Amino acid sequence: MATGSVTSRRGFLRASALAGAAAGAVAVGADGALAAPRMAQIPPPPPVGAEIPMSMLAVEVPLRVGSMSVEVDFEGEIRFRVTEADAADPWNLTLEVIAFGMAGRHEDGNRVTQDHSLGQITIEQSDTEDTPDSLLKMVSQTPPRWEQTMFLDFTMTIENPPPDLPGGRRSHTPEPLVLSTKEPAKLIGELDNFPPKGEPYQLANPIQLVLPDNPEQTIASVDKFPVKVSEL
């Protein structure tokens, strides 16, 4: 075989290999246009009965108790159970809150204007069957995005409440004050991941806290609850 023929064949094989590699890297249509990129893979939804634990961190939560306004950092956990899934839309899920609790502590940082410390403040899930179910749905497939709505009924226990609460119920040696949510708190998360990875949820309605035996009088309130939620 002539040397020129061997060289020509080697060049053809090398060109073919390079073309094949390029085709593997970028798909080209028959008309020469680049094909659309591959869609992001959508993860499967958790099955009915699955339990999903998450951590919660809320920093500088504005809390008003009587005439006193403070900011408190809260940390805790929440656990959901998947109770229902839409057969026609598997990522349309109903979730039940089966455990929820957070805690924070307020220590006075300005002795000139305010010398009262609220001490330990705990939040615990209320024992009620009236709380609406929490909801989760996929709102976009490309890229995958979700929206979760949490409804939370809870009690808040304040170790050292101020003495000037509405109704004049406090003494100079107060006992811990236990309050309940007047209406469920509603938190909404616009998520790039589920379970979330430190993504923020925003409070959709101010939280009013009342005495269990006098639900018509608001004792404390929370107007913002900027909480970041992560899978455990």
Side-chain angles (χ1 to χ4, degrees):
M1 181 181 296
T3 302
S5 298
V6 173
T7 302
S8 177
R9 180 173 176 77
R10 287 175 178 171
F12 172 79
L13 292 175
R14 183 172 182 274
S16 298
L18 291 174
V26 180
V28 181
D31 59 355
L34 294 180
R38 180 180 298 178
M39 291 178 59
Q41 185 175 4
I42 299 174
V48 172
E51 295 187 3
I52 308 168
M54 304 179 189
S55 66
M56 304 181 78
L57 177 63
V59 177
E60 297 181 351
V61 175
L63 171 64
R64 184 176 181 87
V65 186
S67 61
M68 185 176 177
S69 296
V70 300
E71 291 185 343
V72 184
D73 297 344
F74 289 96
E75 188 173 7
E77 297 180 6
I78 190 167
R79 181 181 292 266
F80 294 96
R81 179 185 291 128
V82 181
T83 59
E84 189 176 348
D86 187 340
D89 183 2
W91 264 114
N92 187 356
L93 302 176
T94 301
L95 308 175
E96 178 188 3
V97 179
I98 58 175
F100 168 60
M102 303 183 77
R105 188 168 187 85
H106 170 252
E107 298 291 353
D108 173 46
N110 188 338
R111 295 293 177 181
V112 175
T113 60
Q114 180 174 289
D115 60 1
H116 189 89
S117 168
L118 297 177
Q120 186 77 5
I121 304 172
T122 57
I123 295 172
E124 295 179 305
Q125 181 182 9
S126 295
D127 183 17
T128 176
E129 297 180 356
D130 297 331
T131 307
D133 290 324
S134 294
L135 306 172
L136 176 69
K137 62 182 178 180
M138 178 173 279
V139 294
S140 170
Q141 293 187 355
T142 310
R145 286 187 58 80
W146 293 263
E147 179 181 271
Q148 184 182 10
T149 303
M150 299 184 191
F151 291 98
L152 302 173
D153 270 311
F154 59 83
T155 60
M156 176 181 286
T157 301
I158 302 173
E159 179 185 22
N160 185 31
D164 62 342
L165 294 178
R169 293 172 59 101
R170 299 297 100 197
S171 67
H172 293 294
T173 58
E175 60 188 29
L177 175 67
V178 180
L179 303 172
S180 299
T181 46
K182 186 174 183 178
E183 300 290 343
K186 181 180 180 181
L187 291 166
I188 299 176
E190 303 289 346
L191 311 173
D192 294 324
N193 304 277
F194 190 86
K197 299 179 179 179
E199 290 165 286
Y201 288 61
Q202 300 297 331
L203 185 64
N205 59 316
I207 302 171
Q208 298 182 54
L209 296 156
V210 299
L211 293 167
D213 59 355
N214 185 9
E216 300 306 316
Q217 186 172 37
T218 299
I219 302 296
S221 61
V222 176
D223 291 335
K224 296 180 181 180
F225 199 79
V227 59
K228 291 186 177 181
V229 183
S230 298
E231 179 185 16
L232 285 175

